[in-house]
Amino acid sequence: MSVPALSAIVTFHGEGILAHTSLRSYALSRNIARREGKEIQLVLVLDRADAQTRAFVMNHPDLDGSETIVETQVGDLALARNAGVAACRADYVCTLDGDDLISTTYFLTHLKEAAWLEGRFILHPEMVLSFGMYSAFNWQVDQMGSYYDERALLAVNPWISASFSTRELYETIPYVACYPKQTGFGYEDWYWNSETIARGVVHRLAWGSAYFYRRKWHGSLNEASHAMKTVIPRTSLFTLGRPWAREQDRA
């Protein structure tokens, strides 16, 4: 079996019929990449998935048998992603959610951008288009660009959950479960972004890629975190002694 160019982790929980639409989008982007000679491994993680969601995923007409199915009972998005990483075979990995959509050349665009980057990096889609509960669009921030301000991470997460990097990075800096109902901490992606930056990883953009982010009326983890007034766990990004902190102390 040949080693794929990219392993794409898709996490499913209780998306129901929305899982069907998302998989159509991801399979289409996979087919576009295949035409360019790039094989994509779809790693489909069913974490405590309800019967309807599981049925839509397992019986999806666009699956061709090359996919890797991972069933877990961890009940946490961060740990479900980590389980997906463990099943990845490619050197590059990306994360996707089970109710969103991507541009047709999404996988190809990320692979082409990664080919010329050096050092430790994480790629995010250039544009995010939100739909569902409300409609909006925004361009994400490139850490090497003029709009990036590290201090902004105190108040806002500059990037959505969709990310792309090497498998080695996901293995050495895994996602951390927050369990907001028990701890009051949340936003595992925000925390992960902060921790990776603190360890010298640079967040860049895959120029020309778009992520279609479904804003749900009900069942959104972000909305639940807002309602519980959770905060991100203490991150080493803002510990005393970091360069920007020393500058603030001198001001």
Side-chain angles (χ1 to χ4, degrees), residues 182-204:
Q182 291 79 22
T183 66
F185 294 115
Y187 307 109
E188 71 284 336
D189 299 306
W190 187 353
Y191 176 72
W192 186 75
N193 289 335
S194 299
E195 286 298 295
T196 54
I197 293 171
R199 301 189 199 188
V201 182
V202 181
H203 290 246
R204 306 299 307 273

Side-chain angles (χ1 to χ4, degrees), residues 122-156:
I122 294 169
L123 287 174
H124 300 278
E126 178 187 1
M127 177 174 279
V128 176
L129 296 100
S130 298
F131 67 101
M133 183 173 63
Y134 64 85
S135 299
F137 69 92
N138 67 281
W139 285 270
Q140 298 209 91
V141 178
D142 190 302
Q143 195 173 335
M144 302 303 292
S146 58
Y147 290 103
Y148 173 74
D149 184 344
E150 189 171 281
R151 292 165 293 189
L153 274 92
L154 279 167
V156 66

Side-chain angles (χ1 to χ4, degrees), residues 18 53-54 60 67 83 89 92 97 119 130 132 139 149 155 221 224:
L18 299 180
T53 301
R54 188 178 187 278
H60 199 282
E67 301 79 16
R89 294 190 291 113
Y92 287 121
D97 284 337
S130 298
W139 285 270
D149 184 344
L221 186 59

Side-chain angles (χ1 to χ4, degrees), residues 6-223:
L6 169 65
S7 295
I9 301 169
V10 189
T11 49
F12 297 94
H13 310 276
E15 290 79 8
I17 195 171
L18 299 180
H20 174 84
T21 315
S22 296
L23 269 178
R24 296 228 75 171
S25 175
Y26 301 150
L28 176 58
S29 189
R30 177 182 65 177
N31 291 342
I32 298 295
R34 281 176 172 172
R35 293 175 194 170
E36 298 291 326
K38 305 292 186 182
E39 185 57 45
I40 309 298
Q41 177 198 16
L42 290 181
V43 179
L44 311 179
V45 181
L46 294 160
D47 179 36
R48 295 187 184 176
D50 58 39
Q52 186 185 54
T53 301
R54 188 178 187 278
F56 276 116
V57 172
M58 301 297 287
N59 302 310
H60 199 282
D62 290 340
L63 301 189
D64 59 15
S66 67
E67 301 79 16
T68 300
I69 308 292
V70 179
E71 297 200 56
T72 66
Q73 294 293 325
V74 294
D76 179 86
L77 181 54
L79 298 181
R81 287 205 191 108
N82 292 342
V85 170
C88 291
R89 294 190 291 113
D91 289 333
Y92 287 121
V93 169
C94 74
T95 63
L96 303 165
D97 284 337
D99 53 5
D100 297 330
L101 310 169
I102 55 175
S103 50
T104 55
T105 59
Y106 189 93
F107 295 142
L108 267 182
T109 302
H110 281 71
L111 286 167
K112 289 178 179 178
E113 191 70 29
W116 68 271
L117 291 176
E118 298 178 352
R120 304 177 84 196
F121 64 86
I122 294 169
L123 287 174
H124 300 278
E126 178 187 1
M127 177 174 279
V128 176
L129 296 100
S130 298
F131 67 101
M133 183 173 63
Y134 64 85
S135 299
F137 69 92
N138 67 281
W139 285 270
Q140 298 209 91
V141 178
D142 190 302
Q143 195 173 335
M144 302 303 292
S146 58
Y147 290 103
Y148 173 74
D149 184 344
E150 189 171 281
R151 292 165 293 189
L153 274 92
L154 279 167
V156 66
N157 183 11
W159 303 286
I160 60 168
S161 61
S163 62
F164 172 110
S165 190
T166 61
R167 177 159 49 91
E168 184 270 340
L169 186 137
Y170 287 101
E171 291 172 341
T172 55
I173 312 178
Y175 290 94
V176 176
C178 292
Y179 299 113
K181 290 182 179 179
Q182 291 79 22
T183 66
F185 294 115
Y187 307 109
E188 71 284 336
D189 299 306
W190 187 353
Y191 176 72
W192 186 75
N193 289 335
S194 299
E195 286 298 295
T196 54
I197 293 171
R199 301 189 199 188
V201 182
V202 181
H203 290 246
R204 306 299 307 273
L205 297 184
W207 303 99
S209 61
Y211 193 89
F212 299 85
Y213 185 13
R214 188 183 300 275
R215 301 287 184 169
K216 293 182 288 188
W217 292 93
H218 305 287
S220 167
L221 186 59
N222 272 340
E223 293 300 322

